[in-house]
Amino acid sequence: VFFIVGLAGFALPASRNLFIHLTPVAILLSSAVLAVFHRPISGQRQYVVFMIVFIAGFFMEVAGVKTGFIFGNYAYGRGLGIKLFETPVLIGINWLFLIYSTNAMTDHLPFPVSLRIFASSLLMVAYDAVLEQAAPRLDMWSFEGPEAPFRNYLAWFAIAFALHSFVKFSGINYKNNFAAFVFTLQLVFFILLIITFNIN
């Protein structure tokens, strides 16, 4: 219901500015749903691992904004809320959300760990490829050029692969039956937003 209302709000020019400010709520709501349905298997150290993923994701983005070397030259807008070092704090939560959910989605697959890490990382790059089309219109971030450079996707894959490897080899295990649903819901939401923006 929240995403349907959001789609309608973004579709109407009169309410779009208001709903841009509600984008952080959507990310926090998705993360909260995952937290509610989180089923730990490996004990308390998983929370240390999750915190490291959050911190690593955030400071990788800080380095990206400050140097332009990692993802290309880009800057954050006001759509993701409070910033620290010119980077929204929420972006660390988003990295954790994506690592957590894609790991849960592939963890049960009957493949070697390396292939599951590869698949999880590809899912994240696919997500970013969609989000990059909507982000400037949502005032999340924008690149110096008309679109995200190829190095952005290479960096996303490399960072996702490193963080997924860290999670896998840290030895933590968990289940979340809603991870695939929430991830897919967000992805479909952004696809529909892109279609709506192109129509309008």
Side-chain angles (χ1 to χ4, degrees):
V1 171
F2 183 87
F3 281 106
I4 290 173
V5 172
L7 185 63
F10 279 116
L12 299 172
S15 59
R16 186 171 298 164
N17 191 56
L18 170 64
F19 277 81
I20 284 175
H21 290 288
L22 294 178
T23 302
V25 178
I27 295 174
L28 291 173
L29 179 64
S30 298
S31 301
V33 169
L34 292 186
V36 169
F37 290 95
H38 174 69
R39 297 294 177 264
I41 298 174
S42 54
Q44 297 301 311
R45 74 175 181 276
Q46 66 186 303
Y47 299 109
V48 176
V49 171
F50 294 155
M51 181 58 68
I52 291 172
V53 170
F54 163 77
I55 293 172
F58 174 75
F59 280 103
M60 193 64 67
E61 294 283 351
V62 170
V65 168
K66 294 291 188 180
T67 67
F69 176 74
I70 301 173
F71 304 101
N73 293 314
Y74 69 108
Y76 282 102
R78 56 195 172 89
L80 291 175
I82 299 171
K83 297 178 186 178
L84 183 63
F85 307 122
E86 300 179 37
T87 304
V89 176
L90 197 62
I91 205 69
I93 295 176
N94 195 55
W95 271 98
L96 176 57
F97 163 79
L98 291 172
I99 292 290
Y100 177 97
S101 56
T102 53
N103 179 65
M105 291 167 67
T106 61
D107 198 44
H108 65 283
L109 297 176
F111 301 129
V113 172
S114 57
L115 285 181
R116 280 182 276 148
I117 292 172
F118 185 82
S120 300
S121 303
L122 279 184
L123 280 173
M124 288 185 58
V125 173
Y127 179 96
D128 182 56
V130 171
L131 187 54
E132 293 294 351
Q133 309 306 310
R137 300 291 294 271
L138 300 178
D139 201 19
M140 289 181 172
W141 64 79
S142 57
F143 280 87
E144 200 171 65
E147 58 186 29
F150 184 66
R151 79 157 79 169
N152 171 68
Y153 302 109
L154 286 178
W156 259 76
F157 181 82
I159 296 168
F161 195 92
L163 291 178
H164 273 298
S165 298
F166 169 68
V167 170
K168 291 292 187 187
F169 294 111
S170 68
I172 69 168
N173 290 288
Y174 60 89
K175 290 184 178 179
N176 196 314
N177 293 331
F178 271 74
F181 173 75
V182 175
F183 178 88
T184 304
L185 182 63
Q186 274 208 9
L187 191 61
V188 170
F189 173 71
F190 287 122
I191 291 172
L192 292 176
L193 271 185
I194 294 166
I195 293 172
T196 301
F197 289 151
N198 287 339
I199 291 174
N200 290 340

